């Protein structure tokens, strides 16, 4: 990921909302369709292994709007992943322990990816905040929502929450660097407050009053390879928290830190704040 702006760095104290974590393990075998890349297959298998681990540890909530099939056999959950989603599992993944173990092979010409993963998780005991977060490409309305970008495309974020709170947005690129997209570079507080029931359009200076435009950072995505997979982290909580400590390594890029340091900060925040919500949005950038 390459962009045309930066961010800031101030670390405030975090509220203490400790909740007991449980060590969980999951395994999943993914039969990969022909049109799915190796990287996408590994990510899908890992995501489903985590969901399986959460379902086994905490159970599931079957939505009345889906044809989800859940069977319990000897304390293990057998799940039809064609319809189950992360919101239907009564737990959330906090931290991965060690490295996932992959077994990649071909059966009758089809790639088969099996992954085992271990981590720390906690039970979801309250309803998540139903906020709306949309990644937009080259447009400022929800109809421009997309996860497929071309080099040179503009990136925007539409955000609305039913409650007031605090927001941070990061992008992790293919080289393992985490870039702070929000709070903006010129916000000295290191925290971005959100009002309830207000639509925000981030990374678009013209959408705010003229006096505030100096604060807004605008982003253009580029890639050095023919294709790159990036991840956007949308982090929201009704409780105050400050962004991670980062550095200004390049004036042409947002402030940044290593993916490892970013994950340590994120795990620490989520351990302390049971109300913190994380949405991980994968995007692809091609030349």
């Amino acid at each position: 990921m390459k962009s045309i702006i930066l961010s800031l760095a101030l670390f405030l104290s975090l509220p203490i909302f400790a909740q007991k974590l449980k060590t969980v393990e999951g395994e999943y075998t993914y039969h990969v369709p022909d049109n799915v890349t190796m990287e996408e297959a590994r990510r899908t298998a890992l995501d489903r292994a985590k969901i399986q681990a959460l379902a086994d540890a905490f159970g599931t909530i079957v939505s009345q709007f889906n044809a989800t099939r859940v069977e319990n056999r000897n304390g293990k959950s057998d799940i039809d992943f064609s319809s189950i989603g992360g919101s239907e599992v009564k737990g959330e993944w906090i931290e991965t322990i060690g490295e996932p173990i992959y077994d990649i092979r071909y059966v009758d010409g089809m790639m088969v990816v099996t992954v085992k993963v271990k981590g720390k998780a906690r039970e979801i005991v309250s309803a998540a905040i139903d906020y709306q977060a949309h990644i937009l490409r080259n447009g400022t309305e929800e109809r421009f929502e997309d996860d497929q970008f071309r080099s040179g495309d503009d990136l925007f974020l539409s955000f609305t929450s039913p409650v007031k709170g605090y927001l941070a947005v990061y992008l992790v690129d293919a080289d393992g660097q985490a870039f702070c997209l929000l709070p903006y570079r010129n916000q000295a507080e290191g925290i971005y407050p959100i009002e309830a029931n207000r639509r925000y359009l981030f990374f678009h200076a013209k959408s705010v009053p003229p006096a505030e435009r100096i604060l807004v950072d605008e982003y253009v995505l580029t890639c050095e390879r023919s294709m790159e997979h990036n991840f956007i982290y949308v982090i929201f909580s009704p409780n105050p928290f400050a962004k991670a400590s980062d550095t200004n390594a390049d004036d042409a890029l947002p402030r940044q830190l290593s993916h490892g340091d970013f994950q340590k900060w994120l795990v620490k925040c989520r351990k302390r704040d049971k109300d913190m919500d994380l949405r991980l949005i994968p995007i692809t950038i091609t030349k």
Side-chain angles (χ1 to χ4, degrees):
M1 171 270 180
K2 297 291 179 289
S3 79
I4 54 167
I5 300 309
L6 320 78
S7 180
L8 54 96
L10 225 182
F11 208 90
L12 304 180
S13 60
L14 296 171
I16 306 299
F17 294 106
Q19 185 177 352
K20 185 177 180 180
L21 300 183
K22 182 176 182 178
T23 299
V24 299
E25 297 183 52
E27 179 177 345
Y28 189 82
T29 297
Y30 179 41
H31 293 78
V32 185
D34 292 338
N35 61 341
V36 175
T37 66
M38 173 75 76
E39 184 173 353
E40 291 171 329
R42 286 166 60 95
R43 184 175 69 240
T44 298
L46 180 59
D47 288 344
R48 295 182 178 183
K50 290 179 179 179
I51 292 174
Q52 183 68 64
L54 294 173
D56 290 340
F58 305 112
T60 58
I61 302 172
V62 181
S63 171
Q64 62 180 327
F65 302 108
N66 293 325
T68 302
R69 177 179 61 83
V70 181
E71 295 181 359
N72 290 296
R73 298 177 181 176
N74 299 321
K76 303 288 285 186
S77 297
D78 182 16
I79 301 171
D80 178 5
F81 280 101
S82 64
S83 57
I84 191 169
S87 62
E88 295 171 309
V89 178
K90 295 193 297 184
E92 59 179 338
W93 196 270
I94 301 299
E95 180 181 11
T96 300
I97 299 174
E99 293 293 331
I101 300 174
Y102 289 92
D103 176 25
I104 301 174
R105 61 192 186 281
Y106 287 85
V107 179
D108 297 330
M110 173 178 282
M111 183 193 303
V112 179
V113 178
T114 298
V115 60
K116 297 180 180 179
V117 64
K118 182 177 181 180
K120 293 181 179 180
R122 67 184 172 202
E123 185 177 9
I124 295 175
V125 295
S126 60
I129 298 171
D130 186 25
Y131 64 83
Q132 301 295 315
H134 303 281
I135 300 298
L136 310 179
R137 181 178 70 89
N138 293 337
T140 59
E141 301 172 8
E142 271 66 18
R143 62 189 178 91
F144 291 99
E145 184 172 22
D146 207 342
D147 60 2
Q148 302 292 318
F149 287 75
R150 295 191 65 85
S151 185
D153 283 345
D154 294 324
L155 170 71
F156 306 109
L157 170 67
S158 170
F159 186 89
T160 307
S161 169
V163 299
K164 66 179 182 179
Y166 303 88
L167 179 67
V169 181
Y170 285 82
L171 185 147
V172 175
D173 71 2
D175 296 320
Q177 289 296 307
F179 296 89
C180 181
L181 305 185
L182 192 76
Y184 292 128
R185 174 194 178 189
N186 291 321
Q187 289 182 270
E189 295 80 10
I191 189 170
Y192 199 101
I194 295 293
E195 298 177 6
N197 303 314
R198 171 185 168 185
R199 181 183 186 261
Y200 290 83
L201 181 63
F202 293 111
F203 321 138
H204 186 263
K206 292 182 179 179
S207 66
V208 301
E212 299 178 18
R213 291 177 185 174
I214 191 173
L215 297 175
V216 177
D217 298 331
E218 298 184 325
Y219 300 99
V220 173
L221 299 182
T222 68
C223 62
E224 296 180 350
R225 306 175 182 87
S226 59
M227 176 184 292
E228 293 185 8
H229 296 282
N230 291 188
F231 294 89
I232 293 179
Y233 289 69
V234 178
I235 305 163
F236 179 76
S237 176
N239 308 306
F241 69 96
K243 73 180 192 66
S245 179
D246 49 30
T247 60
N248 186 18
D250 187 332
D251 288 340
L253 297 174
R255 295 182 65 90
Q256 64 188 77
L257 67 159
S258 71
H259 184 218
D261 288 341
F262 169 68
Q263 287 295 336
K264 291 177 183 178
W265 166 82
L266 183 58
V267 167
K268 183 178 179 181
C269 288
R270 298 184 73 199
K271 283 181 177 178
R272 294 185 173 187
D273 185 355
K274 65 180 178 61
D275 298 318
M276 178 173 282
D277 185 272
L278 167 65
R279 296 192 187 176
L280 182 58
I281 305 173
I283 64 171
T284 299
I285 309 170
T286 56
K287 284 192 174 181

